[in-house]
Each structure stands twice: as C-alpha cells, then as structure tokens.
Amino acid sequence: MGIFRRPREASAVVPPAISEFWEWWAQARPTIEASLAAGPEEAAPGEATVSDEATVSDEATVPGEAIVPGEGLSADTIGELSHRVHKIHPGLQWEIGGADDRSPSLTVTGGGDPELRGLTERWARAAPAGAAAGGWTFHPARQPDPEMLSQDLVLGDHEFDLEYVRLGMRADADRARVHITAYHPDFLFVAEEQQLQVALNVLHWALGEDDVARWVGEVTIATEAPIDALPPSMLAAVVEQVAEPFAEPAWLTGEGRTPRGHPARLGARFPLHRQDYPLCDLHVAITVPYANSNPDRLPVEPSAGALRAFEKKLTKLGDRAVLAVQETGDGLRVFHLYADPDSGVISELDQLAAGWPEGKAKVASTSDPGWKALAPYQP
C-alpha cells in the first residue's frame, strides 16, 4: 500500500461559456420553440431516427447517443446550439426532447464520461428556473424514457423494433453491479458498432444515464437470446434489488504493507458513485500524524479515539465533500476526500487540519473530475 500525496491546486472556476450559453438561450429560445412546433418533415410517427446530418442532436452518430425528437430545427440553429455547447467543452453533447404532450427539455451530457459530469451539473444549475424557464426542463445527464422502449430505432439504413430487445441480467452483489447481455434478432445482420449503440440507447432509456453509470457493469452483445432474458422494462426492478443493501454507506476494509514494510490498514467507502456528488471534482488528501502507536506503528488510544473524532467531522460535510478512502500506517493516516472546489469547504478542511493536536496535519488537493485516484480501491 502506498500513501500518496497530491500537490495543492486552485479551485475550479465555472467556465464563462456557461453564462454565455444561457444569455444566448434566452434570445434563441423563441426561434427554437417555433422550429420544434413545425415538427419534423421526414420522421414517421413512432420512430426514433439517427442520421448523418445531425438533425436530432449534435452527435447523432456517436455510439450510445440517445435519440430524441427535435428534427424540426434548422441547420443554422443546430450549428449554433452545437457551437455554444462545445464552447463549454468540446466533448459535450446535447439533445432536445419533449414530443407529443410532454414539456420540452434540453439535455447537455458528457456521454457517460465521468470527467465531464461536474461540468454538465454546473451548466444545469445555472439554467433559468420558474417562469424564466418558459416551461422547459434542463438535464445534466440523459433521463429515463421508458416510452422509447416500444418505439422503432433507425440506425443508418437499419430499423430496429425495440419490442424484440431482451436483456440477460446477472446481479453481482460483491461489486453492486448488474452485468448485461443485450440481444436483438437483428444483431446477426449489423456491425458491432450498431449492436452496441442499440444496447446503450436501450439502457439509457430504461434507467437514465446516471443510473447506468451507478449500477450497470459489463455490457456484452449476444446474437442468440440469453437464457432467462427479460425485456428492458424489467431492468429498473433488478437494479433496485441490487441497490437496496447499499442504501446506507458501507465500508470495505483491508490490510497491506506500507513502503517501509510495516502493517497498514485500508478503508474504502463502497459503493461510492461519482453521480451522487457531481460537483466534487477535487481530490483532497489530508495527512494526519498520530502520536500513540503499537510496535507495528498502528494507532492506539488515545490517538485512535482522536482519529475517529476527526473522521466523524469529515463525514458531516454534506454534499460539499465526501470521504472516500482512508489509509493508515507508519504513524500516519491519510483521509482521501472528493470536494466541491467552489463550496468553500477547502478552507474548513484547512482549519480542521490546523487544529489537529498530535503533529502537523497537511492538506493537499488536485483536480480529479474523473475520480481516477479511487480506481485502485474499487473491487
């Protein structure tokens, strides 16, 4: 086990492009609404389409892109909307939804990239609310849309009747995941990219993008129906059963060795989902020395009690910071947290560390929006 330190880094700043987007949106919304009211010219009722002309979103041919209404937008409007979204970050995608009697919605998504989840959250939280929203809703990730599961999905020159999709679902309680095997009879006739695109669209419509990231594990494709396969509409119920034991935070514990060869102890919160703390882009490591230890250099009383009290304070920071991992050994305990860099919580952590009575505690932070530092601690 290695106790690692991070250099301190400045707080993230919400890009000015987000403010610029909403200023533009206020002016452009009437034109967009008029275009949508005119309706699509080519798409048949009950069909979800993908084309190479990006008429439903800015990345219509990207695998995994959810397909939604919006074909009435002009090429100029699509281009300008894409330009405004990509000024926030070139990796972002947008979709407009709200067919039939549903209120219109605009989704800006990172396409499942955890490094972009905080950015889309900041975009959504800056959106107009109340009367200023004009009846629109704004989402930082694709929302579940079970109605789409009974539609036809057109990818290129192939039309998939989604009523024939079946999912093999294998619950993995140790990893708090549901592994998926996706089947459609037409998978025999299309390329792997199209197979995967169908599967990911179906998963997003069944669960929503955030819950797919939270609970879905491996996704594989089958050209023969899996045994005991179920329709996608059942996926939410299976996920609910897997998620139920983790309604309250739990900790996994383990033992190892420090770089000096002494015993070490590890605790990791599990499961811990990036989507539950979307603004926490900053990895913070608080290194706390303890004065009282046994011959293995692990803490004993009164240091053990003081460390527990310190940890308790770290767990009361709300959604501004979450304690993810703690490593103990060689006279040090390192608390690893993820924090919202714009919440002011870093100064509180500095003050908390400064009050530690058993030596000089250190606080180091670095930007890690993808939570990559947690990867070694996940089962």
Side-chain angles (χ1 to χ4, degrees), residues 114-115 272-278 280-282 322 324 338-339 368-376:
E115 296 200 11
L272 180 59
H273 299 126
R274 173 75 177 91
Q275 295 71 28
D276 294 333
Y277 299 90
C280 292
D281 292 337
L282 196 67
V322 57
Y338 277 88
D368 183 15
W371 288 25
K372 294 179 179 179
L374 286 190

Side-chain angles (χ1 to χ4, degrees), residues 175-177 214-215 242-243 245-252 268-274 276-277 378-379:
R175 292 176 172 81
R177 295 279 178 170
R214 288 183 182 101
W215 304 111
V242 170
F246 303 98
E248 296 296 327
W251 286 82
L252 300 180
R269 179 168 168 171
F270 178 81
L272 180 59
H273 299 126
R274 173 75 177 91
D276 294 333
Y277 299 90
Q378 300 302 303

Side-chain angles (χ1 to χ4, degrees), residues 104-335:
S105 65
L106 175 62
T107 299
V108 169
T109 169
D113 185 347
E115 296 200 11
L116 298 176
R117 186 60 182 83
L119 195 57
T120 61
E121 187 72 19
R122 290 179 173 88
W123 169 85
R125 296 194 184 198
W136 285 72
T137 56
F138 304 100
H139 305 294
R142 296 185 182 98
Q143 303 299 294
D145 192 353
E147 292 184 15
M148 296 298 291
L149 299 175
S150 61
Q151 306 286 333
D152 294 334
L153 173 62
V154 180
L155 298 176
D157 59 357
H158 199 96
E159 181 177 322
F160 297 87
D161 184 345
L162 298 185
E163 294 276 10
Y164 289 98
V165 172
R166 291 294 181 269
L167 301 178
M169 307 177 196
R170 179 170 62 86
D172 186 345
D174 292 338
R175 292 176 172 81
R177 295 279 178 170
V178 178
H179 302 300
I180 299 295
T181 302
Y183 165 78
H184 190 286
D186 291 0
F187 283 171
L188 284 168
F189 313 114
V190 299
E192 181 180 351
E193 181 177 321
Q194 286 178 301
Q195 296 170 352
L196 184 60
Q197 191 171 357
V198 172
L200 294 181
N201 278 318
V202 166
L203 293 177
H204 286 150
W205 287 326
L207 287 182
E209 183 180 312
D210 279 349
D211 270 349
V212 169
R214 288 183 182 101
W215 304 111
V216 172
E218 299 174 0
V219 179
T220 57
I221 300 298
T223 54
E224 296 184 4
I227 297 175
D228 297 329
L230 297 171
S233 59
M234 297 298 297
L235 179 57
V238 173
V239 165
E240 184 178 357
Q241 292 178 3
V242 170
E244 192 205 1
F246 303 98
E248 296 296 327
W251 286 82
L252 300 180
T253 59
E255 297 181 351
R257 292 283 172 177
T258 71
R260 297 179 181 179
H262 296 127
R265 291 175 181 167
L266 171 71
R269 179 168 168 171
F270 178 81
L272 180 59
H273 299 126
R274 173 75 177 91
Q275 295 71 28
D276 294 333
Y277 299 90
L279 298 181
C280 292
D281 292 337
L282 196 67
H283 172 260
V284 183
I286 306 177
T287 304
V288 179
Y290 47 86
N292 302 280
S293 61
N294 61 20
D296 288 330
R297 302 202 66 192
L298 293 172
V300 296
E301 298 296 347
S303 293
L307 288 168
R308 287 193 297 270
F310 191 92
E311 177 185 341
K312 189 173 182 180
K313 293 177 182 178
L314 296 179
T315 62
K316 294 183 176 181
L317 298 171
D319 59 3
R320 297 178 300 154
V322 57
L323 178 60
V325 172
Q326 52 178 289
E327 300 175 291
T328 307
D330 277 337
L332 297 173
R333 177 167 291 177
V334 182
F335 297 95

